[in-house]
Amino acid sequence: LNLPSEQLHELKGHTGPVLAVRFNGDGNYCITCGQDRLLRLWNPHKGTSIKTYIGHGHEVHDVAIASDNSRIASCGGDKLVMYWDVSTGQVIRKLRGHELRVNAVVFAGEESSVIVSGSYDKTVRFFDCRSRSLDAIQTVGCFKDSVSSIVVRGHELCTGCVDGNIRTFDVRMGEMKKDCLHHAVTSVAFTRDGNCLLASCMDNKVRLMDKANGELLNSYSGHKSSNYKVECLMTHGDSHVVCGSEDGQVHFWDIIDGKEVHKLGGHSHVVC
């Protein structure tokens, strides 16, 4: 696998920190969100801005793209989850219920029919996109601290929480498994094959866990992650672990031997 080594474009437009970047399914477009309360749609391959989405009253912490690319969901410091039409730039619904800032949002279900959000209020909420209701159809409140990250894979949903736990929910079976990492979890990701979980923790480590039994398979260090939420994920093919860092770099490790093999620079502050 060839790891990225060159900067192709610099996407300029946000007036403050950019808090999340999300690519659509085929990688042709990406959406960013930031402290300036805006969402921006880009063609990253040309380095051009396509559209700006205005509606949040506070910083926007996360954004998700539906599987058909026609809709997006965003969340932020205004306690709202916003459901948007991509082409018109209009808000379809402002989904309510969270009592504090919302940290994470994802689409789930067939045809991205459900929006799932996680908040500083220690809850995860489920919203039905096909309903006109602005309220959640289900609220999960088993968390002891802020929910920092949510990922979905088929009928499984995994959350990272500042209480130091990863919780994996089997939506079909109605079951929940909890793995304690003893350090605040800021990001979770499934490996591409779905057999393992990756977690970024605030002790400057990324951990690889066996999803079935919670066994710690490997840990990765060399980056800095003790004050900010930094994300981790796998490269395509599951050969390398990737994570942002407070040192302004993106770090890459070999998944098997745990050695750091590559870094990307260019940023002057935290890569989240």
Side-chain angles (χ1 to χ4, degrees):
L1 178 71
N2 291 324
L3 297 175
S5 58
E6 297 179 8
Q7 179 179 307
L8 299 179
H9 294 289
E10 189 170 315
L11 306 179
K12 293 184 176 180
H14 285 286
T15 56
V18 180
L19 302 178
V21 183
R22 302 286 179 246
F23 279 84
N24 71 329
D26 58 18
N28 289 330
Y29 299 96
C30 68
I31 293 184
T32 57
C33 59
Q35 205 171 69
D36 59 5
R37 310 177 185 183
L38 301 177
L39 299 145
R40 290 183 177 270
L41 175 67
W42 309 83
N43 181 328
H45 307 288
K46 294 181 179 178
T48 54
S49 177
I50 299 169
K51 202 171 193 68
T52 301
Y53 302 83
I54 303 170
H56 275 285
H58 289 265
E59 72 279 359
V60 187
H61 286 285
D62 198 8
V63 59
I65 306 172
S67 56
D68 64 0
N69 298 325
S70 70
R71 298 161 291 135
I72 56 177
S74 61
C75 64
D78 53 12
K79 310 175 193 175
L80 294 174
V81 175
M82 306 275 257
Y83 180 40
W84 306 79
D85 183 288
V86 170
S87 58
T88 66
Q90 297 300 305
V91 176
I92 301 170
R93 277 189 288 285
K94 295 181 181 180
L95 304 170
R96 65 195 182 193
H98 282 295
E99 298 171 6
L100 294 168
R101 80 163 187 250
V102 189
N103 300 317
V105 65
V106 293
F107 280 98
E110 291 185 11
E111 300 178 346
S112 300
S113 58
V114 176
I115 294 172
V116 188
S117 56
S119 169
Y120 202 77
D121 67 9
K122 308 177 187 178
T123 69
V124 166
R125 295 175 193 251
F126 295 76
F127 299 90
D128 187 351
C129 298
R130 296 167 297 190
S131 166
R132 292 191 176 182
S133 172
L134 306 180
D135 299 310
I137 54 173
Q138 185 177 357
T139 300
V140 179
C142 60
F143 307 93
K144 305 301 182 188
D145 209 322
S146 175
V147 180
S148 57
S149 179
I150 305 174
V151 286
V152 171
R153 190 179 192 273
H155 60 276
E156 291 181 308
L157 181 143
C158 181
T159 62
C161 184
V162 177
D163 66 12
N165 292 290
I166 297 174
R167 293 171 176 85
T168 306
F169 299 84
D170 187 316
V171 178
R172 283 183 187 168
M173 303 298 291
E175 297 173 347
M176 187 267 282
K177 289 190 296 186
K178 183 170 74 170
D179 295 304
C180 183
L181 301 184
H182 304 289
H183 298 279
V185 181
T186 63
S187 174
V188 287
F190 287 104
T191 51
R192 305 287 178 180
D193 63 13
N195 293 327
C196 301
L197 291 166
L198 202 62
S200 173
C201 300
M202 293 187 78
D203 64 340
N204 305 303
K205 287 185 179 178
V206 179
R207 291 170 170 83
L208 181 69
M209 318 283 294
D210 186 302
K211 190 183 70 179
N213 59 22
E215 180 187 354
L216 177 64
L217 301 175
N218 214 337
S219 65
Y220 311 90
S221 58
H223 66 305
K224 189 173 189 313
S225 172
S226 57
N227 295 298
Y228 290 85
K229 172 184 175 179
V230 298
E231 290 198 4
C232 60
L233 76 163
M234 303 299 302
T235 57
H236 287 286
D238 283 339
S239 61
H240 293 85
V241 173
V242 189
C243 190
S245 175
E246 292 168 22
D247 64 9
Q249 300 186 94
V250 180
H251 293 248
F252 295 76
W253 296 267
D254 184 284
I255 188 173
I256 303 298
D257 64 23
K259 292 181 180 177
E260 187 169 354
V261 294
H262 189 49
K263 280 191 245 186
L264 286 177
H267 290 280
S268 58
H269 200 45
V270 178
V271 178
C272 58

